[in-house]
Amino acid sequence: MPVGNLFTRRRRAAVATAAMSALAVTGLVHEPAAMAAAPTRTPAVERPVKKPNLLLVTVDDLSYLDMDHLPQVRKLVERTGVSFAEGIAPTPICVPARASLLTGQYAHNHGARTIEGPYGGYQAFDDSSTVATSLQDAGYATILAGKYLNGYGEGQSRGDVPPGWDQWRATVDPSTYNFRSPKFNVNGEIIKSKGYSSTVITEHAKAGIAAERGSGKPWFTWVNYVAPHHGGPSGPDDPKKIYPGTDAALSVTVPDAQDRGFYDNVRIPARPNLFPEDTSGYAKGSPGRGRFNPRKKDALRIAYQRRLEAIRSLDRNIASLLVGLKRSGGLKRTLVVFTSDNGFSNGYHNLNGKLWHYDESLRIPVLMSGPGVPRGRTVRTPVTNPDLATTLLAAAGARPPRASDGIDIMPWLRAPEQVRAIPVAGWRVTDGSRQLWSGVRVGSWTYARLHTGQVEVYDRSSDPYEQHNLAADPSVAETVKALGRLASRYEDCAASTCPKDLYAAGRALDLEGL
């Protein structure tokens, strides 16, 4: 037998064994429905007698891989509450993720699929019924500080104050991405701020909470930071100034002056999928087919350095907000959720950015603490942007503003790990009229069908860096087909037709029954 054929057969056998083992571990062995496990009954949850304050803190483009650089946030939220090992942004880009936090819906239902054009940005989103309007109706004072949706504040929207907000302190575009002097719409009045973006947003959050403290109402505050998203102005040692006119003239974020240079010469963490040379396993049209030359790799290293430096200010400012609440006695009555709108890839899969179906884009950090939340626990049951909106509304006893696609995650915080199907998708950035890819994430499996018709399938239990596309591997052909049918079933789901059942991990399940 030729050595090549022997190697191929051995590899296929190893993949098949690993795949079936992974399916068993994650509860996804494809077998007759009669042998399938039933959904787990939703555990009972004890709600606080008094409505809690709600604090949602979001940051922009923070990767779950960046969390080690937020030690104070982890100490104040994670150690006193829970961290989610599987936070997921079903459409991992700015506007769709934020609109999901405002509605509890997937992007194909709330309609803001991307950041600009007829299906993207502020103008594509109907904000007449949101988490804010529902919480206001439920007796909450509502406060927003920081970024809203891309395109807000431009043109005729400059003076807009969306319904449902008692304190409106939103950055207006395009100044949102000016880290030195962003402009804010403060309850209808445009104000130019002085100071670093993250610090100014924190000041607005504190001012908004202080303004509503006398009302006697519980409050909901959404603090929406811009960092570590790229912005301006550029410094002399940034790629735009070092490599002008080339493909390495990358936009980078802007750190606070006191943090600039703190991570000089830091390297992007080495992972097997960083700047891969062999991209033959990726489907044509996926972003992993490009190459980074040495100049562009250096530019991306600088971009990574700037991100970490901007994160230092986030850590200080979020800690300042939380410590202030703790000193006033308000933190113990506050349900805190910390998260990012989407993940971010710094060269992994040869990708600088987000939006695609790889783990670096889809996975987001999620921390939670406060009334009803256990202490010091890692929750492995997946949670999504729509779930967070649904959870906040349930904690407040508020009626959802729309038919919800998400689930209340609170009952599952103390439960054993559960498996669930999560539909995922991405649309073209410029207008959202064409879907770039859609798929499903179930247990350790990621399935994505690209607009070209090609498919990528990864088993992250045996291939955590998603380097080996199993779409055409005969040893897992039945699983791939079942995942494809599952993706098609939930591609256009809405409310009750979206996957809401959870299944105990480690039990045999029928994929068709999810």
Side-chain angles (χ1 to χ4, degrees), residues 282 358 444-446 456-460 463 466 468-469:
Y282 304 138
Y358 302 113
S444 68
W445 290 86
T446 299
E456 290 187 47
V457 179
Y458 300 100
D459 173 14
R460 300 184 314 281
D463 178 24
E466 298 169 311
H468 307 295
N469 181 8

Side-chain angles (χ1 to χ4, degrees), residues 157-419:
S157 71
R158 189 169 180 81
D160 286 2
V161 177
W165 298 99
D166 295 300
Q167 289 288 322
W168 181 253
R169 296 165 176 270
T171 57
V172 296
D173 282 356
S175 82
T176 294
Y177 305 99
N178 185 328
F179 281 83
R180 300 298 182 203
S181 54
K183 295 179 182 177
F184 285 74
N185 179 327
V186 179
N187 300 323
E189 181 182 358
I190 306 301
I191 296 174
K192 185 174 181 178
S193 300
K194 292 183 180 180
Y196 182 67
S197 171
S198 297
T199 303
V200 176
I201 289 171
T202 303
E203 291 170 352
H204 276 292
K206 292 178 178 178
I209 293 171
E212 295 299 323
R213 189 169 288 134
S215 69
K217 298 178 181 180
W219 49 256
F220 164 60
T221 301
W222 186 13
V223 190
N224 214 335
Y225 291 98
V226 182
H229 192 285
H230 65 80
S234 290
D237 50 352
D238 286 341
K240 280 195 171 183
K241 300 295 178 67
I242 298 174
Y243 302 112
T246 73
D247 62 353
L250 304 177
S251 294
V252 301
T253 193
V254 181
D256 193 338
Q258 63 185 298
D259 301 312
R260 192 175 186 91
F262 187 88
Y263 287 107
D264 268 353
N265 301 314
V266 68
R267 294 185 179 276
I268 301 171
R271 290 156 63 91
N273 60 357
L274 177 64
F275 304 128
E277 292 296 327
D278 180 9
T279 60
S280 57
Y282 304 138
K284 185 178 180 182
S286 112
R289 298 186 66 84
R291 294 288 195 280
F292 279 70
N293 57 36
R295 179 181 60 197
K296 198 168 181 181
K297 287 180 181 179
D298 180 59
L300 201 60
R301 187 210 63 76
I302 296 171
Y304 177 69
Q305 174 185 335
R306 297 287 175 259
R307 285 173 55 82
L308 297 188
E309 291 166 351
I311 290 169
R312 282 176 58 81
S313 179
L314 284 176
D315 194 45
R316 281 197 306 273
N317 276 282
I318 298 169
S320 172
L321 179 62
L322 294 172
V323 169
L325 289 172
K326 187 174 183 179
R327 287 173 178 167
S328 69
L331 188 60
K332 63 184 178 182
R333 302 191 304 272
T334 302
L335 178 62
V336 179
V337 176
F338 168 87
T339 190
S340 179
D341 52 353
N342 47 256
F344 198 87
S345 177
N346 293 279
Y348 305 113
H349 291 98
N350 283 336
L351 174 65
N352 173 32
K354 53 225 178 183
L355 182 60
W356 290 89
H357 50 276
Y358 302 113
D359 218 37
E360 293 86 13
S361 292
L362 286 175
R363 280 183 63 188
I364 55 176
V366 182
L367 308 178
M368 183 183 294
S369 67
V373 180
R375 295 175 63 93
R377 179 175 171 81
T378 298
V379 178
R380 302 196 180 280
T381 299
V383 64
T384 69
N385 305 130
D387 298 332
L388 295 178
T390 304
T391 300
L392 291 172
L393 290 165
R399 184 187 299 274
R402 316 177 185 200
S404 179
D405 301 333
I407 66 168
D408 176 8
I409 201 66
M410 288 290 283
W412 303 98
L413 298 184
R414 290 179 169 85
E417 179 183 357
Q418 302 292 309
V419 174

Side-chain angles (χ1 to χ4, degrees), residues 91-127:
T91 298
I93 192 170
C94 305
V95 173
R98 284 178 175 76
S100 289
L101 290 171
L102 284 164
T103 62
Q105 293 181 316
Y106 294 118
H108 63 262
N109 288 326
H110 62 58
R113 303 171 185 168
T114 187
I115 61 175
E116 57 185 84
Y119 299 100
Y122 173 69
Q123 59 85 32
F125 181 64
D126 176 9
D127 55 15

Side-chain angles (χ1 to χ4, degrees), residues 56-76:
L56 174 61
V57 178
T58 51
V59 294
D60 202 324
D61 286 358
L62 186 82
S63 168
Y64 73 95
L65 298 170
D66 297 329
M67 285 303 295
D68 285 346
H69 298 279
L70 287 153
Q72 295 185 80
V73 172
R74 295 186 68 181
K75 178 181 178 180
L76 290 164

